[in-house]
Amino acid sequence: MISRLGGADLDVPPWAVVGLGRQDELLAHADLVICGGGHGMLSKTLLAGVPMVVIPGGGDQWELANRVVRQGSARLLRPLSIDALVAEVDEVLSRPGYRRAARRAGRASPMSMIRYGCAMKRCPRLGRLVACG
């Protein structure tokens, strides 16, 4: 999936599809996501159980990128170079632990609990939301 706001048309490899699509539907078929580390893309990618290479730009992207790295779902890449990107993509795709960690994170999210039929209730004793089967 390539997301961009504009610019000249790009030549893409024959396996790539260009057009509009819902991110959740595209992520269901992705082996890896390369992104800047914004909250929305990280959330959707983890919910889909897809590992990442994150190239943070600024603001909270650095903190969010470091969190998914610590959780085991991603590699953080800076500074960006073609060789470094190829190496990080190869690392993530060749080690199944990244996908396992991403899937664990997706199953643990409140949205996945709602999707898979678990109810969320506030536990008065803990003062937090908990999943109920």
Side-chain angles (χ1 to χ4, degrees), residues 74-124:
R75 300 281 295 183
L76 189 153
L77 175 59
R78 274 294 185 196
L80 176 61
S81 72
I82 295 298
D83 292 338
L85 180 59
V86 169
E88 295 298 345
V89 166
D90 183 54
E91 168 74 14
V92 172
L93 291 176
S94 67
R95 298 187 185 251
Y98 290 101
R99 181 168 291 280
R100 283 195 300 269
R103 287 180 176 162
R104 267 195 319 273
R107 287 192 305 268
S109 79
M111 286 306 297
S112 66
M113 292 176 188
I114 292 167
R115 183 193 308 174
Y116 295 114
C118 299
M120 297 296 289
K121 294 186 179 179
R122 182 158 301 280
C123 176

Side-chain angles (χ1 to χ4, degrees), residues 1-62:
M1 168 173 48
I2 299 172
S3 176
R4 57 191 211 129
L5 297 175
D9 288 342
L10 298 173
D11 290 328
V12 297
W15 50 263
V17 177
V18 177
L20 299 175
R22 290 177 42 112
Q23 287 179 334
D24 58 339
E25 292 172 0
L26 295 169
L27 288 167
H29 303 284
D31 293 317
L32 170 85
V33 167
I34 301 167
C35 66
H39 182 267
M41 195 65 203
L42 290 183
S43 298
K44 291 173 188 174
T45 303
L46 289 175
L47 190 57
V50 178
M52 295 168 266
V53 172
V54 183
I55 307 165
D60 64 349
Q61 290 180 351
W62 281 95

